[in-house]
């Protein structure tokens, strides 16, 4: 599998994980968007506590997030996706940018984005990847409701996913909801584990794509608590 196909596959996963469009509206200007009002959900309140979210930092080999309370170190053969590639996927508009008072440069205000791609790293030879997204919820969903919305979105974009039982999994000292399934993407059969965690008014999503349990164990071993 060449790198372009891996990148295409990874971006597709990112869009599923980080932008459940029916729930959050992605990163487009949401003026006039009244949000959903489905059974079991309520409109998010404007009186929420102060937003503490900060996007993590990345190097070629490591991702660190104080807000998430974890870091990820790339294993041999993994390639970190660039800022330009992730910003393109996030569909960032001018309404999400501000001018730095010291440098005069245009900067992205990540706290205002509905969907933020924290990091994405792939193995170009196999298509295996680790992708971390953070999604701001415009409606109130718990983790179970988010998982059901995720499954509905995957049904539209993935060829007949075969699910394992949903369970809890601890990663870097944090308990996530584990949604694991088999899928076919770009003609390639893969497994994917989606780790879901709600924090404040945001959903953390970690998508791990792999071909074998040995590969999964190697990929997830890169996580560590701060």
């Amino acid at each position: 599998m060449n790198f372009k196909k891996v990148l295409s596959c990874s971006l597709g996963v990112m869009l599923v994980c980080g932008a459940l469009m029916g729930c959050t509206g992605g990163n487009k200007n949401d003026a006039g968007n009244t949000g959903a009002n489905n059974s079991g959900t309520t409109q998010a309140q404007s009186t929420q506590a102060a937003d503490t979210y900060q996007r993590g930092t990345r190097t070629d080999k490591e991702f660190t997030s104080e807000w998430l309370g974890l870091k990820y170190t790339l294993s041999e053969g993994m390639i970190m996706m660039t800022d330009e590639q992730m910003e393109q996927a996030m569909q960032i508009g001018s309404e999400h940018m501000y001018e730095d008072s010291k440098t005069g440069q245009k900067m992205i205000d990540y706290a205002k984005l509905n969907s933020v791609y924290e990091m994405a790293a792939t193995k170009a030879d196999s298509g295996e990847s680790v992708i971390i997204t953070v999604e701001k919820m415009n409606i109130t969903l718990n983790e179970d409701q988010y998982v059901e919305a995720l499954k509905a979105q995957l049904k539209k974009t993935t060829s007949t996913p075969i699910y394992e039982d949903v369970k809890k999994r601890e990663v870097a000292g944090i308990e996530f909801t584990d949604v694991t399934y088999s899928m076919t993407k770009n003609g390639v059969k893969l497994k994917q584990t989606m780790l879901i965690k709600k924090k404040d008014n945001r959903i953390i999503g970690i998508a791990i794509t792999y071909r074998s349990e040995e590969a999964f164990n190697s990929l997830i071993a890169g996580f560590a608590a701060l």
Side-chain angles (χ1 to χ4, degrees), residues 21-68:
M21 306 302 286
C23 296
T24 65
N27 283 328
K28 295 180 180 179
N29 191 341
D30 51 4
N33 179 16
T34 58
N37 190 24
N38 298 325
S39 176
T41 66
T42 59
Q43 197 71 18
Q45 300 298 313
S46 60
T47 56
Q48 289 175 335
D51 194 348
T52 62
Y53 170 72
Q54 287 188 328
R55 193 187 190 212
T57 59
R58 293 175 299 105
T59 66
D60 288 344
K61 293 296 182 182
E62 189 170 85
F63 164 78
T64 303
S65 172
E66 297 287 345
W67 184 79
L68 294 173

Side-chain angles (χ1 to χ4, degrees), residues 16-176:
V16 171
C17 180
L20 294 178
M21 306 302 286
C23 296
T24 65
N27 283 328
K28 295 180 180 179
N29 191 341
D30 51 4
N33 179 16
T34 58
N37 190 24
N38 298 325
S39 176
T41 66
T42 59
Q43 197 71 18
Q45 300 298 313
S46 60
T47 56
Q48 289 175 335
D51 194 348
T52 62
Y53 170 72
Q54 287 188 328
R55 193 187 190 212
T57 59
R58 293 175 299 105
T59 66
D60 288 344
K61 293 296 182 182
E62 189 170 85
F63 164 78
T64 303
S65 172
E66 297 287 345
W67 184 79
L68 294 173
L70 57 74
K71 65 178 181 178
Y72 187 81
T73 303
L74 272 60
S75 60
E76 188 70 26
M78 296 191 79
I79 302 170
M80 187 78 82
M81 201 171 285
T82 67
D83 284 337
E84 182 180 1
Q85 289 166 334
M86 290 198 289
E87 288 168 12
Q88 182 179 8
M90 284 189 279
Q91 301 178 16
I92 295 171
S94 59
E95 68 272 17
H96 302 118
M97 304 188 76
Y98 67 95
E99 185 175 295
D100 186 279
S101 59
K102 294 181 179 180
T103 65
Q105 293 182 327
K106 291 291 185 179
M107 307 292 289
I108 300 169
D109 189 348
Y110 288 101
K112 291 184 178 180
L113 298 181
N114 286 336
S115 300
V116 176
Y117 303 137
E118 293 276 349
M119 69 148 273
T122 65
K123 286 191 173 183
D125 60 343
S126 66
E128 293 163 346
S129 64
V130 176
I131 299 169
I132 304 175
T133 64
V134 174
E135 184 175 4
K136 181 165 62 175
M137 306 305 294
N138 292 328
I139 58 176
T140 301
L141 295 176
N142 60 34
E143 288 181 22
D144 291 339
Q145 292 167 330
Y146 186 91
V147 166
E148 291 307 309
L150 175 63
K151 286 183 175 181
Q153 185 75 359
L154 286 168
K155 188 176 181 180
K156 298 177 183 178
T157 59
T158 304
S159 176
T160 317
I162 302 173
Y163 292 98
E164 298 180 7
D165 292 338
V166 176
K167 57 183 179 288
K168 297 296 183 180
R169 180 186 294 272
E170 186 173 302
V171 178
I174 304 169
E175 185 178 76
F176 290 84

Side-chain angles (χ1 to χ4, degrees), residues 182-208:
S182 303
M183 66 173 182
T184 300
K185 195 74 175 178
N186 293 332
V188 179
K189 291 184 178 180
L190 299 168
K191 287 190 72 174
Q192 188 168 87
T193 293
M194 304 285 287
L195 301 174
I196 306 299
K197 176 69 178 179
K198 184 174 182 181
K199 180 175 181 178
D200 302 332
N201 67 328
R202 285 178 164 82
I203 292 286
I204 303 160
I206 300 176
I208 304 174

